[in-house]
Amino acid sequence: MKSTGRARPPVIADVARAAGVSVPTVSRVLNGSVPVSPEKRARVMAAVRRLGYRPNGAARALVRGRQAMIALIAGNTSRYGYATTIQGVEEAARQAGYMVVISVVETADGASVDSALDLILSQPVAGAIVLEYDPPGEAALRAMPSTLPTVAVAPSRGGRQDVPHAFMDDRTAAEHATRYLLDLGHEVVHHVAVPRSERWTGRTAGWRTALEAAGVPLPEVMEADWTPRSGYRWGLRLAERDDVTAVLCGNDEVAIGVMRGLQERGRRIPEDVSVVGFDDHPLSELWLPPLTTVRQDFVELGRQTFGLLKAVIDDAPHPSSVSVAPELIVRGSATRPR
């Protein structure tokens, strides 16, 4: 357990001292409530920029009778894992009396990240949660000011070490899922991966670890995007290969696409090819055959993430990370090879 350990953010008294004016003068400049001479205003604003001072909007909001707010930054809000994580954050925040303002980072380029940060930092936010699920989220986390209480939520360990993390141990889960297929008797497990950035995803890393531990040669990773359509294209290709008997997919949408492509080319699931997904999307148990998958409780992950951020905001002792353990759900899409 540890306290935040981050540098003390500048306060209004620091701005006053740097500008050579009184605290009330700084307050008048920032609030615009009373006219201040242009010369003093210029000195105050220069000090604000130099120190990186941001008014404590959360405190002002509470004084004015409004709820405090936290910011949530994400590269996407429509994908299943993103949306349900946000749901968990919002539910926990609401119970604690906080509102959540969401800013989407569309790409990892500097302008997109700056635009998203400008939006949330202009609000009276008490802290921020960054969904470090993709390159835009990783870029946003790197750009977050150290003076704002921040927590990242990620699919696996990694990222900025000075920021507390809540994560799914999907690397261990992928090891278990791969080993499950090997234990069924499959000589090798192929992998259709979801996008990565600077490093392999935990799911791909776990797949590699399991195969290496079993002394199985690593087949080439097949890289998809997040959509069923990308999985479908790989399914059509895999259907032409006689050496493919088991496939671990990076998420359930990709797995459903892979199964559709295999089935359209006459390959039976699971008699000819076993398929395992990730996430336990609501559609996975309704597909034919029902999809064996790794269940991830994203709502609970969101709740844990907010709890970690609340401890950081309150400067209370907190762990450097919290995790939620995934679970392999065995259904009908995987069996022993023929």
Side-chain angles (χ1 to χ4, degrees):
M1 304 291 285
K2 67 175 185 178
S3 61
T4 60
R6 63 181 185 275
R8 179 180 72 83
V11 297
I12 194 169
D14 298 323
V15 175
R17 190 178 305 109
V21 299
S22 67
V23 168
T25 297
V26 175
S27 180
R28 294 185 190 106
V29 170
L30 298 178
N31 294 334
S33 56
V34 177
V36 176
S37 70
E39 186 267 337
K40 286 185 178 179
R41 176 178 295 277
R43 281 158 51 192
V44 168
M45 296 310 298
V48 166
R49 288 190 294 272
R50 186 167 66 253
L51 296 176
Y53 172 74
R54 294 186 183 278
N56 189 338
R60 293 206 313 267
L62 288 173
V63 168
R64 295 170 185 171
R66 300 202 309 267
Q67 290 175 300
M69 291 197 295
I70 64 165
L72 190 146
I73 303 174
N76 189 288
T77 58
S78 61
R79 295 178 190 136
Y80 175 67
Y82 292 69
T84 44
T85 301
I86 293 170
Q87 175 188 340
V89 170
E90 197 280 330
E91 288 177 357
R94 181 162 19 96
Q95 290 174 0
Y98 284 77
M99 293 188 297
V100 179
V101 56
I102 299 173
S103 183
V104 175
V105 186
E106 295 180 348
T107 70
D109 72 86
S112 180
V113 171
D114 288 345
S115 177
L117 293 187
D118 286 345
L119 174 63
I120 63 109
L121 293 175
S122 67
Q123 305 297 318
V125 294
I129 291 173
V130 180
L131 268 58
E132 196 186 10
Y133 284 167
D134 50 25
E138 292 174 349
L141 183 62
R142 287 194 296 268
M144 290 297 296
S146 61
T147 54
L148 181 68
T150 301
V151 167
V153 54
S156 58
R157 294 180 186 270
R160 276 178 56 174
Q161 298 303 306
D162 60 322
V163 174
H165 273 71
F167 66 94
M168 288 285 188
D169 192 0
D170 62 354
R171 176 170 184 154
T172 299
E175 284 187 57
H176 289 167
T178 305
R179 195 156 50 241
Y180 169 74
L181 289 167
L182 293 173
D183 290 344
L184 286 175
H186 296 277
E187 294 182 0
V188 66
V189 177
H190 290 77
H191 181 43
V192 181
V194 290
R196 63 188 176 98
S197 51
E198 294 91 350
R199 59 185 186 276
W200 289 111
T201 67
R203 303 171 195 194
T204 299
W207 165 80
R208 292 168 61 93
T209 298
L211 292 187
E212 290 169 350
V216 176
L218 290 171
E220 183 178 357
V221 174
M222 294 166 279
E223 298 194 31
D225 56 33
W226 301 94
T227 65
R229 176 63 62 177
S230 67
Y232 171 74
R233 289 192 292 266
W234 278 115
L236 294 176
R237 298 182 197 178
L238 292 172
E240 306 302 321
R241 297 174 54 175
D242 293 331
D243 63 323
V244 177
T245 66
V247 183
L248 174 68
C249 297
N251 71 8
D252 287 345
E253 291 96 323
V254 168
I256 288 172
V258 167
M259 289 197 292
R260 176 65 181 269
L262 288 167
Q263 290 167 327
E264 280 194 7
R265 295 291 170 88
R267 303 299 295 276
R268 297 172 300 166
I269 310 295
E271 293 85 356
D272 298 325
V273 182
S274 291
V275 179
V276 173
F278 237 93
D279 292 345
D280 196 23
H281 189 286
L283 292 177
S284 62
E285 65 178 333
L286 302 178
W287 198 254
L288 291 177
L291 179 63
T292 293
T293 185
V294 174
R295 175 178 292 163
Q296 304 204 99
D297 191 343
F298 290 108
V299 174
E300 178 60 23
L301 180 65
R303 294 190 187 110
Q304 295 273 358
T305 303
F306 175 77
L308 188 57
L309 177 63
K310 185 65 166 59
V312 176
I313 291 171
D314 295 342
D315 203 20
H318 61 272
S320 60
S321 66
V322 296
S323 64
V324 175
E327 174 188 8
L328 181 66
I329 304 299
V330 176
R331 296 193 179 108
S333 65
T335 190
R336 296 183 178 277
R338 290 188 299 173

